[in-house]
Amino acid sequence: MTEATDSDHEVARSAAARTGEVLRDLRRANRDADPAWLRKEGDRAAQAALAGYLAEVRPDDVVFSEEAADDPVRLTADRVWIVDPLDGTREFSEVGRTDWAVHVALWIRDGDESGTLAAGAVALPAVGVVLTADEPPALATPHQPPRIVVSRTRPPAEAVRLAEDLRGELVPMGSAGAKVGAVLRGEAEAYVHSGGQYQWDSAAPVAVARAAGLHTSRLDGSPLVYNRAERALPDLVVCRQEVAVAVMRALNDRSADVA
């Protein structure tokens, strides 16, 4: 079976939304808390809420989470939930920031063993939005010149060069889910990342992006593959199809020049 059921989509949506509510309540109740404490408590509370819910409604499935030990049984399982209970922990701890998220994706094994992201949900609790693969948002008309969302703390050199080539604008932002959400919601045309990500950072956002018809790949254009033994999946491109050819050509022409 390589397709998610309607109930799988509902589980993804509910898991993301419920965890988001826990985080939103925690943040409201601790407005003046030490940021370091809030980051730690946010990770703990989100993991407890998300793992607890999945254990209740999908007890036979494996969960692969940033905030839990990696169980190698996932590599032989047919159904694996790839989750990041709180993506953008730094932003969560900063007063007034909305660019943090909850990621929930379901990976299902298929015939060639590469598997597929069959369901996904990204909650953006601070703005009251849950983006899902079964009901992806309709895409707005793309903006020109293109806006490219990047890490607010470490924008990759590839994105800086891409903005120069396309005469685009860099938009710093926190969570990967918030960045992909910005493309989905018409606030940006592309998201480019290089270095420092893991499978849980992109699985749910990519599931929703694919369902909405966006281009998703690694920087060199190769496919993003999940539930591999290597947890790191360090580079990512998510963009509108209207700019995909120009984005990938610019990224890879530059790479060839450097090589």
Side-chain angles (χ1 to χ4, degrees):
M1 179 177 126
T2 60
E3 294 184 359
T5 65
D6 288 344
S7 61
D8 286 331
H9 288 295
E10 181 54 36
V11 166
R13 179 186 294 104
S14 294
R18 287 167 180 248
T19 305
E21 289 173 5
V22 168
L23 288 167
R24 191 167 57 238
D25 291 345
L26 175 66
R27 207 179 188 216
R28 286 172 175 167
N30 297 277
R31 294 181 185 275
D32 299 323
D34 175 68
W37 177 89
L38 193 55
R39 289 194 291 271
K40 184 176 180 179
E41 185 61 16
D43 282 337
R44 185 207 63 78
Q47 171 65 18
L50 184 45
Y53 178 70
L54 290 176
E56 176 186 344
V57 299
R58 289 293 186 270
D60 297 328
D61 292 352
V62 177
V63 178
F64 176 31
S65 172
E66 177 181 14
E67 301 301 329
D70 185 3
D71 186 348
V73 74
R74 70 179 174 83
L75 299 176
T76 56
D78 291 331
R79 291 168 52 92
V80 179
W81 293 90
I82 304 176
V83 304
D84 190 344
L86 173 52
D87 188 63
T89 310
R90 179 196 300 269
E91 288 73 26
F92 173 76
S93 72
E94 296 180 9
V95 176
R97 295 206 70 93
T98 62
D99 48 343
W100 50 279
V102 178
H103 298 179
V104 182
L106 173 61
W107 176 93
I108 296 180
R109 188 177 304 281
D110 59 20
D112 66 1
E113 298 296 306
S114 63
T116 186
L117 295 175
V122 175
L124 304 173
V127 294
V129 170
V130 180
L131 303 166
T132 62
D134 62 329
E135 296 180 351
L139 300 176
T141 302
H143 182 270
Q144 286 293 337
R147 298 158 296 181
I148 304 162
V149 282
V150 295
S151 169
R152 59 185 286 241
T153 57
R154 50 184 185 279
E158 293 89 345
V160 174
R161 293 194 298 264
L162 176 65
E164 293 173 354
D165 287 348
L166 301 186
R167 302 184 184 278
E169 172 191 358
L170 292 180
V171 181
M173 198 173 290
S175 158
K179 295 186 190 80
V180 174
V183 181
L184 287 162
R185 300 173 70 201
E187 298 166 354
E189 284 63 55
Y191 167 34
V192 176
H193 183 86
S194 174
Q197 280 193 350
Y198 294 84
Q199 294 180 47
W200 50 72
D201 289 305
S202 64
V206 165
V208 181
R210 287 176 177 173
L214 297 180
H215 167 93
T216 66
S217 72
R218 300 192 66 169
L219 283 174
D220 64 1
S222 60
L224 294 152
V225 181
Y226 293 89
N227 199 35
R228 291 301 198 218
E230 175 54 62
R231 293 179 297 171
L233 189 55
D235 54 272
L236 171 69
V237 179
V238 176
C239 66
R240 294 289 299 261
Q241 293 292 350
E242 294 91 338
V243 299
V245 170
V247 166
M248 298 310 297
R249 180 182 294 129
L251 288 172
N252 288 283
D253 284 352
R254 285 285 192 142
S255 296
D257 291 343
V258 171

